[in-house]
Amino acid sequence: MPLIELGDSIPPNTAHAVSVSLPTWKSNIGYEEGEQWVIGAMITGYPRFFIHKSIQAFGHDITVKHGAPGQQAMLFPTRKTANRCLEFIRDKAPQSALVSLDVLHLVLDPAKKTPEALQSATPSISAVLFSAEAFPFAKQYWQHSGDGISSRRAEFCHGLFKENILVPEVKASSPRSPKQKLGRGPKRYQRQASIDDTPNGSNGMHQHHYPVTLDTPAEDDVTDSLETSRFLEERYGRNLDLSLVPNAKSAIRRRIAGVLTTDMDLDSKTAFPTMDSNARGIPNFKEDDIYLVPCGMNAIFTTHQALLTARDPRKSINFGFPYVDTLKILQKFGPGAIFYGRGSDADLDDLESRLQNGEKFLGLFCEFPGNPLLTCPDLVRIRRLADTYDFAVVVDETVGTFVNVNVLPFADVVVSSLTKIFSGDCNVMGGSIILNPNSRYYTSLKSVMTSDFEDTYWAEDVIFMERNSRDFKSRIDRVNANAEAICEVLSAHPLVTNVYYPKFNESRPNYETCKLPSGGYGGLLSCTLKTKEQAMAFYDAIETAKGPSLGTNFTLTSPYVVLAHYQEMDWAASFGVNPDLLRVSVGLEDDLKEVFARALKAAEAF
């Protein structure tokens, strides 16, 4: 792959990319240290850590128009998600940071006749307004929960906001002045008065700037309403075809269930036939047991929140070395968590001892396999303990994927990040939650999800995810083969001290228990070299994309511990995670053995 310049999106020239190029070890350090030569070059970043510039621009315009001096904004799709952020700030921030804390709800202007299609998209925005002192706490909520708006929603709604179509919600609309009315629209619809729209430098925004127009009092209101409706239909209707969304969501859910192996016509006017009720080998499994959410971390957050509501609030168990925000969710939202960072048999022995002594827990959260060491917990024993001592089991199958493994028989809830290999194209976020219909907690969880779950997955993101995932299964097969080939190259080289991959780890028997007959061992692996200098040389020389995220159709390499645990490297090392570990998300390329051989050759000089 050609070198992607520092700060460019991965993939290049992709407005809604979910990774960013950090092509040298030094640039990763610079990113973590907040050095301007790195931060200033970044046009984008991983969406939960780097707030997309289109979202920043929209938030800025909201505060300029409706906020107080010095206020900033964090944008959410609904009143409920914004209020959760508000409560988090109130709970975690010092009293001095709570000054000017507020929420602004933006909705379609009820005084304007908007097309039904636009109304059904629910293009609402709830902005949490806060002082600069409160920003770190608002950002924590954004990062941990995954509740924030997507960049595509931001672009679309920002356009409505600029047209004065998305306006602050009021309990009773005030009458219009009889003297004049402000509106926006193409010149052929209204007489121009002045122009106040100028580009604001936001990244990836559709720069359509229509003039502010001044209607004369003599204009007929009915005519004005019809023209506004026609303008909205032409301006936004073609950009957001909602007719495909229900079937697109159904197609995604069925791919997750493993019952959709061919493309389906989304243009069909009728719903898809009823899904096989024995999908994934689980009796009574229905399509509506699968929930789609805006990102993978939101799947974990939503599941944890549902369990806290469905059961008595108790501490959770984080079993195995986790992705950073999983542990943060369990620690910061609710009664807290205990952490077993190695996820070993000895850890299970300790947990069993706690349970025997009367400790009670909400649920056990684990990854299968784990990230970045690719170890697999003993789900058979965990299931047995859960049944005996009454706690839920939540398994994140993002790395294993449901093409390679079936963890649902051992779990009460299965979560996954669709952003990764399910999409593959690294240009859209998404997540999923599966409720096991045979779980002892199914009835209570289903009741909570029915009453509390908000579908905030933006329509445009749904369409992109459905298109990207059509060849998901065939891509997995190719990635599995490529990953094993890279492991062979690494394992044979004298500088490589460890290769972490489910096929070669000590926990392989746990993986084999869940591995499907046609499945492989996945597309994620990690390795360590003898010295830090060799690891740095390898990383700087490797001819792949280099940045955060995983599960891309192209190979993506990162110094994972630097990016995920920079402020806690000693803590990570205490659980066997080497600070100089290199993580490789394997793609579909044909020449990967040669690419890795050349990088190892570069490391030999050190």
Side-chain angles (χ1 to χ4, degrees):
M1 171 177 283
L3 174 69
I4 303 174
E5 294 295 328
L6 170 65
D8 280 359
S9 65
I10 301 177
N13 305 312
T14 302
H16 302 283
V18 300
S19 188
V20 62
S21 181
L22 297 170
T24 64
W25 193 283
K26 183 180 178 181
S27 64
N28 283 270
I29 299 292
Y31 169 74
E32 291 297 330
E33 293 283 355
E35 295 175 4
Q36 188 56 34
W37 70 276
V38 177
I39 303 301
M42 292 172 62
I43 63 173
T44 192
Y46 192 74
R48 284 188 305 100
F49 292 82
F50 180 99
I51 299 174
H52 195 280
K53 290 191 175 182
S54 63
I55 301 174
Q56 292 183 43
F58 189 11
H60 174 266
D61 284 1
I62 288 172
T63 57
V64 167
K65 190 169 186 179
H66 300 294
Q71 274 189 322
Q72 301 178 34
M74 199 70 77
L75 307 186
F76 296 92
T78 65
R79 181 189 303 271
K80 182 186 289 187
T81 51
N83 285 339
R84 280 202 296 258
C85 178
L86 195 73
E87 290 306 310
F88 182 84
I89 297 171
R90 285 174 175 158
D91 182 53
K92 305 296 183 185
Q95 193 65 32
S96 58
L98 305 185
V99 178
S100 74
L101 190 61
D102 201 1
V103 176
L104 175 72
H105 304 292
L106 299 173
V107 298
L108 291 173
D109 186 350
K112 292 183 171 68
K113 181 177 173 58
T114 52
E116 184 178 340
L118 185 58
Q119 294 179 41
S120 66
T122 59
S124 60
I125 294 290
S126 290
V128 178
L129 306 176
F130 48 83
S131 66
E133 187 182 359
F135 174 79
F137 303 95
K139 180 63 161 42
Q140 282 180 44
Y141 183 84
W142 173 281
Q143 176 181 322
H144 299 331
S145 71
D147 265 343
I149 67 170
S150 74
S151 52
R152 286 187 180 87
R153 183 192 283 261
E155 284 191 353
F156 189 86
C157 292
H158 198 178
L160 294 174
F161 180 79
K162 288 179 176 180
E163 309 291 353
N164 287 332
I165 297 162
L166 204 63
V167 298
E169 185 179 49
V170 290
K171 291 183 179 179
S173 56
S174 56
R176 290 182 178 183
S177 165
K179 296 180 180 179
Q180 59 187 31
K181 298 181 295 183
L182 280 176
R184 289 181 187 267
K187 292 179 181 179
R188 68 179 183 275
Y189 288 157
Q190 298 176 323
R191 179 171 54 82
Q192 179 175 334
S194 63
I195 297 177
D196 71 349
D197 255 343
T198 56
N200 56 22
S202 62
N203 179 59
M205 293 296 296
H206 297 303
Q207 298 295 347
H208 299 297
H209 299 287
Y210 294 110
V212 173
T213 54
L214 192 63
D215 299 342
T216 64
E219 266 193 324
D220 184 84
D221 277 350
V222 174
T223 302
D224 177 66
S225 178
L226 290 172
E227 289 183 343
T228 298
S229 180
R230 190 188 341 158
F231 161 58
L232 290 173
E233 187 70 52
E234 292 185 2
R235 171 71 175 87
Y236 295 101
R238 285 194 288 257
N239 293 339
L240 191 62
D241 185 356
L242 296 176
S243 65
L244 303 179
V245 173
N247 277 353
K249 287 182 177 179
S250 183
I252 293 170
R253 287 191 291 261
R254 288 165 187 244
R255 285 190 191 111
I256 292 169
V259 299
L260 179 58
T261 56
T262 58
D263 290 347
M264 299 190 73
D265 181 14
L266 298 186
D267 291 322
S268 171
K269 300 301 181 185
T270 59
F272 294 164
T274 302
M275 191 180 88
D276 178 10
S277 63
N278 198 41
R280 290 213 191 194
I282 299 294
N284 310 311
F285 190 21
K286 302 181 293 298
E287 183 179 331
D288 66 7
D289 292 329
I290 302 172
Y291 298 83
L292 302 180
V293 294
C295 65
M297 196 49 58
N298 190 251
I300 295 171
F301 179 81
T302 300
T303 299
H304 184 236
Q305 292 289 304
L307 282 169
L308 287 171
T309 303
R311 309 193 64 220
D312 292 336
R314 295 169 180 161
K315 284 187 176 182
S316 296
I317 304 157
N318 194 146
F319 195 78
F321 196 83
Y323 182 69
V324 57
D325 285 307
T326 302
L327 181 57
K328 303 301 184 188
I329 286 171
L330 303 183
Q331 290 174 333
K332 294 183 180 182
F333 299 89
I338 63 169
F339 177 50
Y340 289 105
R342 293 184 180 271
S344 62
D345 288 342
D347 284 343
L348 276 181
D349 291 341
D350 184 81
L351 174 60
E352 186 166 13
S353 177
R354 285 174 177 255
L355 293 165
Q356 289 172 343
N357 290 329
E359 289 193 53
K360 295 184 179 297
F361 297 98
L362 178 74
L364 182 148
F365 290 71
C366 65
E367 299 173 1
F368 195 94
N371 173 20
L373 298 183
L374 288 306
T375 55
C376 297
D378 184 349
L379 291 183
V380 173
R381 186 177 174 190
I382 289 171
R383 180 71 265 162
R384 187 167 62 246
L385 290 174
D387 289 340
T388 303
Y389 295 102
D390 187 23
F391 61 85
V393 178
V394 181
V395 181
D396 184 343
E397 66 176 3
T398 300
V399 174
T401 80
F402 38 82
V403 170
N404 290 324
V405 295
N406 184 16
V407 298
L408 187 55
F410 304 98
D412 299 286
V413 184
V414 172
V415 295
S416 188
S417 173
L418 306 181
T419 308
K420 310 305 192 295
I421 193 62
F422 187 80
S423 165
D425 279 343
C426 200
N427 64 0
V428 65
M429 302 280 280
S432 64
I433 300 167
I434 304 175
L435 301 185
N436 186 333
N438 304 308
S439 162
R440 68 196 293 180
Y441 312 113
Y442 176 78
T443 300
S444 58
L445 282 172
K446 192 70 175 179
S447 175
V448 170
M449 295 296 279
T450 300
S451 61
D452 293 357
F453 178 74
E454 289 187 304
D455 183 357
T456 61
Y457 200 17
W458 181 241
E460 289 174 291
D461 295 323
V462 170
I463 295 298
F464 273 86
M465 183 63 72
E466 191 283 322
R467 289 173 182 168
N468 291 354
S469 62
R470 290 177 183 178
D471 60 350
F472 168 58
K473 187 178 185 306
S474 63
R475 286 187 284 111
I476 288 290
D477 294 340
R478 178 72 173 276
V479 161
N480 288 339
N482 277 351
E484 291 200 35
I486 292 171
C487 284
E488 291 174 5
V489 172
L490 293 171
S491 298
H493 199 281
L495 292 186
V496 178
T497 54
N498 289 289
V499 175
Y500 301 98
Y501 189 62
K503 187 175 182 178
F504 306 117
N505 287 348
E506 289 183 5
S507 63
R508 177 176 176 176
N510 297 335
Y511 188 91
E512 296 290 347
T513 299
C514 301
K515 181 174 171 289
L516 292 167
S518 60
Y521 295 90
L524 193 69
L525 61 94
S526 297
C527 68
T528 56
L529 279 69
K530 287 184 175 180
T531 69
K532 182 184 188 72
E533 290 73 23
Q534 290 166 353
M536 293 172 67
F538 177 96
Y539 182 79
D540 289 353
I542 190 82
E543 299 163 78
T544 68
K546 289 178 271 191
S549 197
L550 60 89
T552 49
N553 291 336
F554 45 86
T555 300
L556 186 62
T557 308
S558 74
Y560 176 77
V561 186
V562 173
L563 276 181
H565 301 285
Y566 186 70
Q567 302 297 334
E568 51 190 17
M569 285 190 173
D570 290 343
W571 173 82
S574 72
F575 295 103
V577 183
N578 189 311
D580 304 323
L581 176 141
L582 294 158
R583 191 188 71 178
V584 181
S585 175
V586 181
L588 304 173
E589 301 94 333
D590 295 322
D591 60 345
L592 288 174
K593 294 179 74 169
E594 293 78 10
V595 167
F596 278 77
R598 287 194 293 271
L600 288 166
K601 187 70 174 176
E604 292 172 5
F606 293 86

